[in-house]
Amino acid sequence: MHVAWRVLILAVAFVAMVGFAVVLSKLTLGPSAASESLTHNNLRPGDSIRNYLTQPALRDTLKQLGGNIVLGMPFGALLPALVPRTRGLLRVMLATAVVMLAVELVQGALIQGRAFDIDDVILNSSGAVIGYLIIGRRLGRAVHPRRPHWWHRFTVSGRASRGRP
């Protein structure tokens, strides 16, 4: 891939990540005085998910669960292109969990009408994994091709150690 294409992809990924950050902050860090009496912190994984799945309003269930999954997808799609060290399923999931945990902590501690919910972190991280599997892995490799390991210097073009002629 030509350098110009890589730079263009990186620039688009950066703009998309900034846009994602703006949307994330608008959706999660805005006060909600109307729902203050309805909010409660959830530290037990699965409780909120179970509550949404058992409620009769399917639309609210899809909005909450699906929305949190979709909210994490851009992170998994764009992070490997922007930060090559985060390539890999586990790394993307961990980076997303750390960022979303920070967002949830701010929500629970500082924002009126919002609460900390560990299930949101789990759902956002699941969405990031889906985004990574759909496009993030390929996008990260396209922008940042793998470099040969140091031990490949001692073989003919690095292929002998991988069993290729």
Side-chain angles (χ1 to χ4, degrees), residues 6-153:
R6 286 185 188 161
V7 170
L8 178 64
I9 291 171
L10 275 172
V12 169
F14 179 75
V15 169
M17 189 62 96
V18 169
F20 168 67
V22 169
V23 169
L24 178 67
S25 67
K26 293 240 184 224
L27 289 175
T28 61
L29 298 178
S32 179
S35 62
E36 189 169 352
S37 62
L38 302 172
T39 60
H40 65 283
N41 290 323
N42 173 32
L43 301 174
R44 294 176 53 189
D47 274 4
S48 293
I49 295 171
R50 195 171 14 266
N51 288 340
Y52 281 118
L53 291 173
T54 59
Q55 73 175 352
L58 179 63
R59 184 177 181 177
D60 288 340
T61 300
L62 292 175
K63 183 179 170 185
Q64 286 297 322
L65 300 181
N68 276 310
I69 290 171
V70 168
L71 196 60
M73 289 176 78
F75 216 76
L78 299 171
L79 194 61
L82 293 173
V83 185
R85 289 194 159 259
T86 60
R87 282 195 321 200
L89 192 63
L90 199 55
R91 290 178 182 177
V92 166
M93 190 168 47
L94 183 63
T96 304
V98 168
V99 170
M100 296 307 176
L101 188 61
V103 169
E104 288 294 319
L105 287 170
V106 168
Q107 266 186 336
L110 303 176
I111 310 298
Q112 179 186 7
R114 301 284 185 167
F116 176 87
D117 191 346
I118 193 65
D119 287 339
D120 288 353
V121 175
I122 293 168
L123 292 168
N124 294 148
S125 299
S126 299
V129 166
I130 293 168
Y132 176 76
L133 292 173
I134 290 173
I135 192 168
R137 182 174 181 208
R138 281 174 268 169
L139 187 62
R141 284 186 178 170
V143 175
H144 306 286
R146 289 182 177 240
R147 293 183 182 155
H149 296 288
W150 64 269
W151 59 83
H152 291 149
R153 287 184 289 178

